[in-house]
Every structure is written in structure tokens, then in C-alpha cells.
Amino acid sequence: MGLPGLLRAVIASVCLGSIMAQKVTQNQSETPVLEKEDVILNCAYEANSYTYYLFWYKQPPSGEMIFLIHQESYNELNTTKGQYFLNFQKATSSISLTITDLELEDSAVYFCALRDHSDAGA
């Protein structure tokens, strides 16, 4: 049994589209965090197109995949949506997701995903 108020953020990665054309990597493992704290989840990627889309999803213990937030490669402004903030670094091919003011309901497996523009019509 875990500590009261202790959250877990487990990182995984997903690649949408052609496996040869793109790659995402998340090197973090399970991250214990207390309620009301913030957590930063990192993702590195490789894309062969100038235009691509990066997505973050979470999968709670119930199993459904829940879309959280996305970033377009051509948009230099970092996306913010509620408690989710993206730090997009195109020059280093990385994107991090900050989740603020964590609650117990935020315990989940978090997925970073990449979709290359060339796959958008697929």
C-alpha cells in the first residue's frame, strides 16, 4: 500500500505512423510525486518532416487512453491547457510536459506521441 497522497507518473512512448520515419523516447521510469506538487515528464523525438505534431496522453488504471494536449512543430509558442504546460524545444528535438497541482486522479501512465505530417492523411 502506498503512502497517502502519493502519486505515480509512469512514462511510456508511442509513435503514430511509419516506424521508420520517426521515433520517440522517454527515459524516465515511475516517478513518485506528492499531491499538490508539479511533475515534469520528458520526451525526445526524431522526425523526418518539417511539419509534425506531438501529443501527450494518459492512461489511468481504468485503461482508457485520454488525450491531454498537443503541439504543432510550426508553432513556436508553448501550448498550455489547464494544469498541463508544454516546453517544446524544436532545436533539441525534445518536449516536456509539466503537470501542475497534482491530484490523486493524475496517477497514470503518460504517453508521448509523434505524428509526422506525411502520415496525416493516413
Side-chain angles (χ1 to χ4, degrees):
M1 180 68 81
L3 298 172
L6 188 64
L7 305 172
R8 294 186 317 170
V10 179
I11 321 280
S13 60
V14 167
C15 184
L16 303 174
S18 170
I19 293 173
M20 298 305 290
Q22 53 206 12
K23 177 181 176 183
V24 288
T25 306
Q26 294 173 260
N27 292 324
Q28 290 170 276
S29 58
E30 187 173 308
T31 305
V33 184
L34 295 174
E35 285 186 276
K36 305 297 181 192
E37 289 186 341
D38 299 348
V39 67
I40 298 173
L41 309 177
N42 299 306
C43 178
Y45 64 88
E46 295 175 22
N48 290 339
S49 175
Y50 178 78
T51 303
Y52 50 89
Y53 310 92
L54 294 155
F55 303 88
W56 281 91
Y57 296 87
K58 77 174 183 178
Q59 186 176 32
S62 58
E64 76 268 27
M65 289 292 279
I66 300 169
F67 167 76
L68 301 176
I69 193 169
H70 80 282
Q71 178 79 41
E72 299 95 357
S73 63
Y74 52 83
N75 186 352
E76 294 186 23
L77 296 175
N78 291 317
T79 304
T80 301
K81 180 181 169 188
Q83 74 181 117
Y84 306 111
F85 171 78
L86 294 180
N87 183 4
F88 176 52
Q89 300 295 319
K90 189 172 187 175
T92 59
S93 298
S94 65
I95 189 166
S96 62
L97 170 67
T98 300
I99 309 171
T100 60
D101 198 27
L102 287 163
E103 298 292 336
L104 195 55
E105 299 80 38
D106 295 313
S107 292
V109 177
Y110 287 81
F111 294 88
C112 174
L114 167 70
R115 180 161 194 157
D116 195 293
H117 179 68
S118 62
D119 296 327

